[in-house]
Amino acid sequence: MDKEITELLRQWGAGDHEALSEMVPLVEAELRRLATFHFRKESSDHTLQPTALVNELYLRLSSQMKVQLVNRAQFFAFASRLMRRILVDYHRARQSSKRGRDQVRVTFEDALGIPAIRDAEILELDGALESLKKVDPDMCRLVELRFFGGLTVPETAEVLGTSTATVKREWAAAKAFLSRELRE
Amino acid sequence: MTPESWKKIKDLVGRAVDLDQAGRRELLYELDEPRLQAEAWSLLAAFDRDGDRWEPAQPDRPQRGEPSTTVGVGDRVGAFHLLEVLGEGGMGRVYSARQEEPFEREVALKIIRADLGSPEAMRRFEAEQRILARMSHRNIARVIEAGSQGDLPYFAMELVDGRPIDRFCDQERLSIRERLTLFIEVCRGVEHAHKKGVIHRDIKPSNVLVAKEDGIFLPKIIDFGIAKALDPDSTAITAFGQGIGTPDYMSPEQAAGAETSADTRSDVYSLGALLYKMLCGRPPRDSSEIRRHLGAAEWLRVLQQEDPPTPSGQISRLGDESEWIAKRRRESPAGLIRCLEGDLDSVVQKALSRDPDQRYQHPSALAEDLERHLRHEPVLARPPAPAYLLRQWIRRHKTLVAVCVGVLLSMSFGMAAAGLSLIKARKAEKVAEIKAWEASKEAKKAQQIQEFLRSLFQGSNLEKMDPRPDLTLKEVLDQGATRVRTELGQDPLVRAELMLEIANSYRVLAQFKAAERLLGEALGIFEAEAGLKSVEVARVKNDLGILMTNLSRGEKAAEYLSQSVAIFESADPDHPVLVTALSNLGPALKNLGRLEEARTVLARALDLAIRQLGEESARVVAIRNGLGQVHHERGEYQRSAEVLEQALQTGERLFGKEHPRLAYPLTSLGMTRVAQGDRVAARRLFGRALAIDEKFYGSGHLNVGIGLANLATVEQELGKCEAAAEKFARSLDIFRAHFSADHRLVIQVSEDLENVEANCSASVPSSG
């Protein structure tokens, strides 16, 4: 599987944009595998950062390619978007299978170090991001990177090709937006 | 929302989040559309409320209260085997854990953040366990063990499989009655703990979990006594609470950091706040709400910090959202408001009193009042007493204004009496005397009022809540003046109204410059918004007239007051302030020597006052006093005496024989009797005035000094040298205490004293 991804990455790096979309199911599967693995581990470092997850994938892929992956930033953005999708799916499944015990919050997010958020909210968040995307696709991306991707401000700035000051400002506005849209 | 306007908004919001309110306001001015401004404010409010929850945990940043470096799922802590993470709280992480000894059961294990658990804290912790173990109540999650492993303190508690009570009520769509029943149980639990000597100190929705057991809802309070155990002064908790937790449920005394004074009644406050949230879906002090309603409401921010809106008031302010909130209570918004109005509003208000003494003293008292309500019996919580209501800023202010009016009235008439006090003084000198006396008396009155207000403040713990305990009344007014200028955008008339009131207060505090500036601004607003000949303009001009009198600018005073009177007469001849303006204009004219005009004006004032207020009114007494002085000045002593006798008689009927207000007509009449040559009568009248002033103001008061000088002058003329000398001496002491050595009154009375001592042997009455 890794080999396939590597090949697609190479094509993508060479300018083949189709390669990225072909890569989605593969990278996603890989991320899911990694996440589940870390989640199950339940060991001393049970707070696993999504960044670490994405990083791990990145490192593995680039070591296999023996080269620095082209467009590292885009890869991170891409992986973050997948994280969002993974979480949403996870919650859809979880919501239909699980009821009650609100207080128990050993969740996927806990393991990923994502701020605790209720099941229903992940889906609400997803909806809110969809509507945000229509007015402000850049901010939507920023939320994916920061919230789902767990990227730091400098990393996010790097990915988006902008300054950290701008990211901070945008992120603050995004937090305000999300807080209002997902009012408790 | 178009992408363009969104871009504008988000840029400003992004820049505004780190600013304080004033900074934000300034920044958001850039948004020219009110709709966009409202949008930005609502975003900022949401950010303040829970913007932080979106922050991802950063691996490179040390995490607050991250105990997992040493323990985690799978590890053993004491006799407990950690099973899974239940949640993350302000004080640490909660795990479900299995206890194997002495018997197997599942518990909730709270592991306290390392930075909160000093060795000392842990000792207290273990000591606290004994106390906590005493509690046994179905509504309290039992503390099984408090201990520590390494440097990690932990609490093992009964595992409650429940939801936070506010969320539970909403999700289960509980009616108000059902909510009350549930809440009463919570009170019972807290009461039990209090009887065992345990205060919770951190009651809030997330610490009251409701479990559904066999169709029965059972609320259980968790974390009892933990705040205390961690730190008896709870400063750490308080500081921490500011960082992440919500201060919405914290009592004022706790929020002020006066943790040592936190007692059972602090829990009562938090219970009240919890009840508030359960009833109307909002915590009592939702800062975002205030921000959204900028303008008049923002101006009243101080007020709102003191007393939150009633639950029903909260609902009616929420607009569309009330629909949503009511629905979760199986009500319509109107139905919900009806349900909360009256009893429940009062009960909540009482529980949320800022002064602990005004609250229910025990959770059981709160519960009992709610039970009374459920039984449709009258509740004990009554609308707060008038004195208590004064704590609200505007009320406080209105009282201040009422006091001011009284002060100023008595002053404008009284000062003439004082002027007359120095019988021998020539007219030009007299004016200077009046001014000096007036200024000092003004200051004295201001001090009294300030003390009066301070006593109100103390009663209400306001001082504790204020950012600075030494906040003076003047500073409160300064803040008020700034805010009324900058924050009250929408309604210029309201703004000008408030300026007027603040200006009046400034005047009483002898801050004449500030008062003049504000009155000038208010006048400008009223002239532009209400019209040059509006009663509002007339009112401001009346105030300006009084101010000019205070500033000894007699001509200007008479000018403003004449204008005020003229406008009232054409705009609204029955306006109640017209009498005031006339009453002020009379003495102003008299001081300028325009006696005929003064007489006409006061005669009109008298007619009007009698017509509007009746013969038997304080105003009529004061006007007659002024009129009597004008007659006196005109040399019409007989008429003066008649009018003053009338004033005196009415005053005695109204106030009794010993009221301080009687001192004025007594003194005035005394002056006239002197002029008529009846020194015996004058002596009696001055004597009475002096006795009243001494009794009312105390023997060192300036009024007493003046009364003594008056009496002494007459006694000297009656040849009672020793008595006169003694009184001049006392008078001099008082004046020296109030004025510098070169003050005219000091010089005058020392001369009198020398004079009387020198001429004591000559028992011939002097004509002066």
Side-chain angles (χ1 to χ4, degrees):
Chain A
M1 189 192 291
D2 280 1
K3 202 165 169 236
E4 236 178 304
I5 297 175
T6 315
E7 183 51 34
L8 285 167
L9 278 169
R10 189 168 288 139
Q11 292 175 14
W12 178 44
D16 182 356
H17 292 286
E18 289 298 303
L20 190 66
S21 45
E22 276 181 54
M23 209 158 65
V24 169
L26 302 173
V27 174
E28 187 176 332
E30 185 63 14
L31 277 173
R32 279 182 202 281
R33 202 181 59 76
L34 281 171
T36 313
F37 172 74
H38 280 286
F39 184 47
R40 289 241 175 88
K41 227 164 64 177
E42 265 188 7
S43 58
S44 53
D45 67 332
H46 69 112
T47 309
L48 174 66
Q49 296 302 316
T51 320
L53 212 62
V54 178
N55 252 319
E56 191 170 335
L57 180 64
Y58 173 81
L59 288 174
R60 233 161 35 152
L61 292 173
S62 49
S63 69
Q64 277 173 7
M65 292 166 76
K66 306 268 194 279
V67 285
Q68 178 85 4
L69 266 180
V70 274
N71 214 339
R72 177 181 176 276
Q74 281 214 14
F75 176 78
F76 271 84
F78 164 69
S80 302
R81 195 165 300 168
L82 288 177
M83 279 309 296
R84 172 179 163 193
R85 189 193 288 180
I86 291 167
L87 279 171
V88 169
D89 289 351
Y90 176 85
H91 279 285
R92 285 226 175 85
R94 194 171 130 91
Q95 218 185 26
S96 52
S97 69
K98 192 168 176 301
R99 285 278 179 267
R101 286 207 90 184
D102 280 27
Q103 205 212 342
V104 181
R105 285 208 226 123
V106 185
T107 58
F108 196 58
E109 305 89 84
D110 280 346
L112 293 176
I114 284 178
I117 184 163
R118 292 204 306 272
D119 290 10
E121 270 187 339
I122 279 280
L123 305 179
E124 273 178 60
L125 175 63
D126 194 49
L129 284 175
E130 276 312 305
S131 49
L132 179 63
K133 196 172 166 183
K134 291 190 188 106
V135 228
D136 195 344
D138 288 347
M139 188 181 272
C140 176
R141 250 185 114 203
L142 184 137
V143 174
E144 281 175 344
L145 291 171
R146 290 280 290 145
F147 187 84
F148 290 102
L151 269 65
T152 61
V153 170
E155 282 168 347
T156 309
E158 192 197 327
V159 168
L160 295 177
T162 178
S163 69
T164 53
T166 307
V167 169
K168 275 186 193 155
R169 211 171 49 238
E170 288 264 310
W171 175 234
K175 286 193 286 186
F177 171 81
L178 294 176
S179 300
R180 196 184 53 177
E181 293 307 298
L182 276 78
R183 151 149 232 173
E184 274 191 301
Chain B
M1 173 97 18
T2 64
E4 289 72 38
S5 39
W6 167 248
K7 191 176 171 337
K8 265 199 248 175
I9 290 171
K10 74 163 179 184
D11 277 357
L12 290 173
V13 167
R15 281 192 283 150
V17 288
D18 289 328
L19 302 176
D20 61 16
Q21 283 308 91
R24 288 177 172 185
R25 210 169 293 118
E26 205 170 296
L27 197 61
L28 294 193
Y29 269 7
E30 286 185 45
L31 291 169
D32 27 28
E33 268 187 79
R35 198 174 50 82
L36 298 189
Q37 275 202 14
E39 177 78 9
W41 280 115
S42 101
L43 283 167
L44 285 170
F47 179 89
D48 290 342
R49 198 176 52 241
D50 44 23
D52 281 349
R53 62 196 276 246
W54 305 103
E55 209 54 67
Q58 296 297 345
D60 49 346
R61 239 188 280 148
Q63 283 206 36
R64 266 204 309 214
E66 181 53 83
S68 64
T69 48
T70 46
V71 290
V73 169
D75 289 347
R76 282 184 69 92
V77 171
F80 307 95
H81 186 77
L82 300 187
L83 298 176
E84 52 181 9
V85 179
L86 291 179
E88 192 84 49
M91 287 180 291
R93 181 168 285 182
V94 187
Y95 294 86
S96 69
R98 194 170 55 243
Q99 186 181 16
E100 275 142 15
E101 300 289 331
F103 47 88
E104 201 173 311
R105 61 177 161 184
E106 256 190 62
V107 302
L109 197 79
K110 185 164 214 160
I111 297 186
I112 308 300
R113 284 168 45 202
D115 56 324
L116 287 178
S118 67
E120 201 194 330
M122 270 179 281
R123 272 195 300 281
R124 279 197 303 273
F125 221 67
E126 283 158 29
E128 191 74 8
Q129 185 203 346
R130 286 191 293 279
I131 300 167
L132 297 178
R134 280 191 232 147
M135 294 187 300
S136 167
H137 193 275
R138 65 195 288 255
N139 299 117
I140 298 177
R142 209 151 45 80
V143 174
I144 294 162
E145 191 181 313
S148 60
Q149 170 164 303
D151 57 353
L152 289 178
Y154 64 84
F155 270 96
M157 263 179 306
E158 178 185 346
L159 182 66
V160 181
D161 187 8
R163 285 171 274 170
I165 190 165
D166 55 339
R167 198 178 298 165
F168 179 91
C169 290
D170 281 0
Q171 287 171 346
E172 300 290 331
R173 307 261 155 131
L174 297 194
S175 69
I176 293 295
R177 279 189 86 82
E178 288 164 336
R179 283 165 195 249
L180 291 177
T181 313
L182 208 55
F183 179 77
I184 287 168
E185 280 203 72
V186 178
C187 291
R188 298 292 179 210
V190 178
E191 176 77 20
H192 170 83
H194 285 180
K195 284 198 171 131
K196 301 283 179 188
V198 183
I199 302 170
H200 193 295
R201 289 173 186 239
D202 193 21
I203 296 172
K204 57 187 177 190
S206 57
N207 274 342
V208 182
L209 302 177
V210 185
K212 204 171 172 181
E213 286 176 6
D214 308 324
I216 294 169
F217 305 144
L218 185 66
K220 278 199 191 270
I221 307 154
I222 61 169
D223 281 5
F224 232 111
I226 290 183
K228 168 92 183 307
L230 277 178
D231 185 346
D233 298 327
S234 281
T235 44
I237 303 299
T238 308
F240 191 64
Q242 284 160 357
I244 56 108
T246 166
D248 289 349
Y249 301 90
M250 197 182 274
S251 68
E253 64 269 21
Q254 282 173 293
E259 272 297 332
T260 41
S261 70
D263 57 17
T264 54
R265 298 171 306 177
S266 310
D267 276 356
V268 170
Y269 180 95
S270 301
L271 281 169
L274 175 64
L275 176 60
Y276 192 108
K277 175 85 191 316
M278 289 168 70
L279 292 178
C280 66
R282 288 284 181 89
R285 288 166 219 277
D286 186 350
S287 53
S288 64
E289 192 58 27
I290 294 160
R291 289 189 199 116
R292 199 180 302 181
H293 293 82
L294 268 182
E298 173 67 7
W299 156 246
L300 297 177
R301 198 165 63 90
V302 175
L303 178 149
Q304 288 178 324
Q305 282 174 345
E306 290 172 19
D307 288 309
T310 58
S312 67
Q314 181 75 269
I315 293 291
S316 46
R317 289 169 11 150
L318 286 177
D320 291 350
E321 235 184 297
S322 65
E323 193 85 35
W324 185 89
I325 289 167
K327 214 166 134 188
R328 276 158 176 70
R329 287 154 183 77
R330 308 205 304 266
E331 287 280 356
S332 66
L336 181 57
I337 289 170
R338 268 198 305 281
C339 187
L340 299 177
E341 258 170 1
D343 278 5
L344 291 177
D345 279 349
S346 303
V347 169
V348 168
Q349 268 184 309
K350 187 172 170 62
L352 289 177
S353 297
R354 283 169 33 79
D355 180 356
D357 291 340
Q358 301 268 1
R359 290 177 205 149
Y360 294 101
Q361 297 298 295
H362 302 284
S364 58
L366 170 56
E368 280 155 21
D369 233 8
L370 290 171
E371 281 168 345
R372 271 181 216 108
H373 170 76
L374 289 175
R375 290 196 303 264
H376 305 292
E377 290 171 15
V379 296
L380 295 185
R382 296 219 164 77
Y388 176 65
L389 282 177
L390 290 175
R391 297 187 330 203
Q392 296 177 344
W393 211 94
I394 279 298
R395 294 261 185 163
R396 202 158 70 213
H397 209 81
K398 283 217 180 346
T399 308
L400 179 59
V401 171
V403 174
C404 296
V405 170
V407 168
L408 291 164
L409 249 189
S410 60
M411 195 195 70
S412 46
F413 293 109
M415 78 188 180
L420 292 169
S421 72
L422 298 158
I423 296 165
K424 287 176 289 183
R426 278 189 302 278
K427 199 159 187 169
E429 290 169 333
K430 215 189 286 178
V431 173
E433 246 68 57
I434 292 166
K435 287 174 192 162
W437 177 85
E438 174 197 323
S440 66
K441 174 157 180 165
E442 179 90 10
K444 208 72 187 163
K445 285 282 182 191
Q447 197 188 337
Q448 282 174 10
I449 288 160
Q450 211 164 357
E451 274 161 14
F452 164 69
L453 288 170
R454 192 172 300 136
S455 70
L456 287 179
F457 288 11
Q458 273 160 355
S460 66
N461 273 345
L462 182 89
E463 287 182 321
K464 282 192 200 157
M465 272 304 276
D466 275 327
R468 283 182 28 235
D470 58 339
L471 199 71
T472 65
L473 187 54
K474 175 170 181 299
E475 286 170 313
V476 171
L477 291 176
D478 286 346
Q479 287 177 8
T482 308
R483 288 167 58 180
V484 82
R485 281 196 187 98
T486 56
E487 294 176 17
L488 226 66
Q490 290 87 341
D491 191 345
L493 290 177
V494 170
R495 196 167 65 201
E497 253 339 305
L498 287 166
M499 283 178 170
L500 221 58
E501 298 202 350
I502 297 170
N504 278 329
S505 309
Y506 269 134
R507 199 176 64 221
V508 170
L509 294 179
Q511 302 292 321
F512 298 131
K513 276 268 164 290
E516 188 178 2
R517 204 164 45 237
L518 268 185
L519 285 177
E521 286 178 47
L523 181 62
I525 294 172
F526 279 137
E527 283 182 342
E529 301 288 330
L532 289 171
K533 301 283 175 200
S534 60
V535 291
E536 283 81 7
V537 167
R539 277 168 49 218
V540 187
K541 288 194 164 171
N542 173 54
D543 287 352
L544 277 165
I546 300 170
L547 183 66
M548 292 303 136
T549 311
N550 295 155
L551 288 168
S552 306
R553 282 149 65 182
E555 293 284 354
K556 202 73 192 155
E559 189 186 321
Y560 276 128
L561 290 167
S562 304
Q563 288 170 357
S564 173
V565 166
I567 297 171
F568 276 129
E569 280 173 339
S570 63
D572 182 6
D574 288 324
H575 199 284
V577 182
L578 175 55
V579 175
T580 315
L582 285 168
S583 317
N584 290 324
L585 179 57
L589 292 169
K590 189 199 72 177
N591 291 344
L592 293 171
R594 292 155 68 177
L595 298 176
E596 179 54 35
E597 289 169 82
R599 195 187 58 78
T600 318
V601 163
L602 285 174
R604 287 201 42 224
L606 187 59
D607 279 351
L608 202 56
I610 290 171
R611 190 151 56 77
Q612 285 182 351
L613 306 163
E615 266 288 343
E616 305 281 301
S617 66
R619 177 54 61 92
V620 166
V621 173
I623 294 171
R624 284 216 169 100
N625 182 50
L627 197 55
Q629 291 173 2
V630 173
H631 288 314
H632 178 110
E633 293 282 305
R634 286 162 60 94
E636 303 164 349
Y637 300 125
Q638 187 51 40
R639 292 179 75 174
S640 170
E642 280 166 22
V643 174
L644 291 170
E645 285 282 8
Q646 259 184 300
L648 200 53
Q649 282 162 20
T650 313
E652 283 177 352
R653 278 197 302 276
L654 276 177
F655 316 123
K657 286 197 181 265
E658 290 203 322
H659 194 277
R661 286 203 192 189
L662 282 186
Y664 299 113
L666 281 169
T667 307
S668 303
L669 187 57
M671 297 295 173
T672 298
R673 293 299 181 212
V674 170
Q676 289 176 318
D678 187 351
R679 295 192 174 83
V680 176
R683 185 187 180 209
R684 189 171 37 78
L685 291 161
F686 287 147
R688 272 185 69 194
L690 178 62
I692 288 172
D693 281 344
E694 269 186 320
K695 185 177 169 187
F696 190 75
Y697 297 113
S699 58
H701 195 272
L702 198 58
N703 280 8
V704 174
I706 291 163
L708 283 166
N710 286 343
L711 190 53
T713 308
V714 181
E715 285 179 342
Q716 188 193 1
E717 292 177 357
L718 286 169
K720 301 190 181 301
C721 292
E722 277 178 38
E726 182 260 335
K727 288 189 180 72
F728 275 131
R730 273 171 61 200
S731 169
L732 187 59
D733 284 346
I734 292 171
F735 289 150
R736 280 193 173 134
H738 283 88
F739 305 116
S740 61
D742 60 349
H743 191 275
R744 187 155 291 278
L745 275 176
V746 175
I747 295 168
Q748 179 77 54
V749 176
S750 16
E751 282 172 12
D752 283 338
L753 183 57
E754 276 172 39
N755 202 28
V756 76
E757 279 168 347
N759 299 318
C760 213
S761 50
S763 60
V764 184
S766 157
S767 66

